[in-house]
Amino acid sequence: MTSTPRIRARSFDAAAALYSANRPGYPAELFDALEALAGRGLRGARVADVGAGTGIATGLLRARGADVVAVEPGDGMAAEFRRANPGIALVRGDGDRLPLVTAGFDFLTYAQAWHWTDPARSVPEARRVLRPGGALALWWNDMDSAVPWIAEQDERIRTLFDAAGLGYRTLPPEPAFTTREVRWSRRIPLDVHLANHASHSAFLMLGPAGTREFLDAERARLTALFPDGTVEERYVVTLAVAVM
């Protein structure tokens, strides 16, 4: 299956409620690591969360005390964001064309969103909007393939989509990033686990029939592994921070 990144990114608009209800959040340890690598705290900091989606990361940044504004290009995602986060400012745009004031922010964050940008544009935009010493922070939350059943499921998904892995998450050569991994887990109903997969762009592009066929087979496999209907999803968050 082939599609442009912009088309895949916009696929979330039709599934914003599914995304909001079933995607995982982020552990407190991620924000501890972000503050450590940035060399400053989030409380009182001016933060722009780019590609904010339905606001999963944005709300957690605000809960840490940040003065946060969200940037989101998609109509459906923006509508869900406003429903879930009525007290947080949202502007429409993307990382390649940030609708933000120059030198106005201490942090620029991309939660699961940097790979939708063109670094030739998004890196200069980050430099423009960050104050001197500000931090560009990118992170991705992936299920932990060190867990055997997760590794087997990942292989089935890669086979379905003829995908090689996560090479599209390569960091740009500049600025200089420092990386850290944060491991965590959540226990959820099997239905939520399957719906989480259905909210990913590859499955949204695949369409309802193909997605249902794959996830029905996964349900049968995982019911045998988790007969009580509760799945422990284990995750690795890969965080990359560059102080500009």
Side-chain angles (χ1 to χ4, degrees):
M1 177 187 301
T2 60
S3 59
T4 69
R6 187 166 296 276
I7 291 172
R8 285 190 63 163
R10 293 298 189 271
S11 70
F12 295 118
D13 282 323
L18 179 74
Y19 188 111
S20 180
N22 299 290
R23 284 291 183 104
Y26 303 103
E29 291 80 4
L30 169 64
F31 300 100
D32 294 340
L34 171 56
E35 291 175 327
L37 294 180
R40 67 155 296 164
L42 286 162
R43 182 164 298 278
R46 183 69 168 147
V47 179
D49 186 35
V50 187
T54 63
I56 294 172
T58 320
L60 293 170
L61 288 162
R62 188 187 193 194
R64 294 286 291 218
D67 177 12
V68 61
V69 60
V71 180
E72 169 56 40
D75 293 342
M77 297 294 265
E80 183 66 19
F81 181 101
R82 290 190 175 104
R83 185 198 65 77
N85 303 278
I88 301 178
L90 171 69
V91 296
R92 304 299 300 280
D94 61 42
D96 297 342
R97 294 168 296 277
L98 290 170
L100 302 172
V101 65
T102 296
F105 293 86
D106 302 300
F107 288 86
L108 193 63
T109 61
Y110 285 82
Q112 311 280 115
W114 179 258
H115 52 276
W116 303 122
T117 75
D118 174 2
R121 296 182 178 183
S122 55
V123 170
E125 279 289 84
R127 292 188 186 280
R128 180 183 66 78
V129 305
L130 284 169
R131 295 168 178 159
L136 172 62
L138 327 174
W139 66 83
W140 290 273
N141 193 33
D142 299 301
M143 292 187 68
D144 187 354
S145 60
V147 179
W149 76 264
I150 293 175
E152 292 166 4
Q153 185 179 73
D154 283 350
E155 182 59 31
R156 291 190 292 272
I157 292 171
R158 284 194 297 270
T159 299
L160 177 66
F161 294 108
D162 192 25
L166 301 175
Y168 66 92
R169 295 182 182 177
T170 301
L171 296 174
E174 294 290 339
F177 286 92
T178 303
T179 62
R180 186 169 295 179
E181 291 185 346
V182 177
R183 284 176 162 76
W184 70 289
S185 66
R186 66 172 185 166
R187 292 178 61 82
I188 55 171
L190 175 56
D191 284 346
V192 174
H193 170 75
L194 297 173
N196 175 22
H197 280 299
S199 75
H200 285 255
S201 61
F203 284 101
L204 295 173
M205 297 297 294
L206 178 64
T211 296
R212 188 180 309 110
E213 180 181 0
F214 181 85
L215 294 183
D216 283 349
E218 289 302 296
R219 181 187 302 278
R221 292 186 183 97
L222 296 181
T223 296
L225 284 176
F226 303 101
D228 68 350
T230 299
V231 176
E232 182 179 16
E233 292 182 339
R234 286 173 51 185
Y235 286 93
V236 181
V237 186
T238 304
L239 169 67
V241 177
V243 177
M244 309 291 267

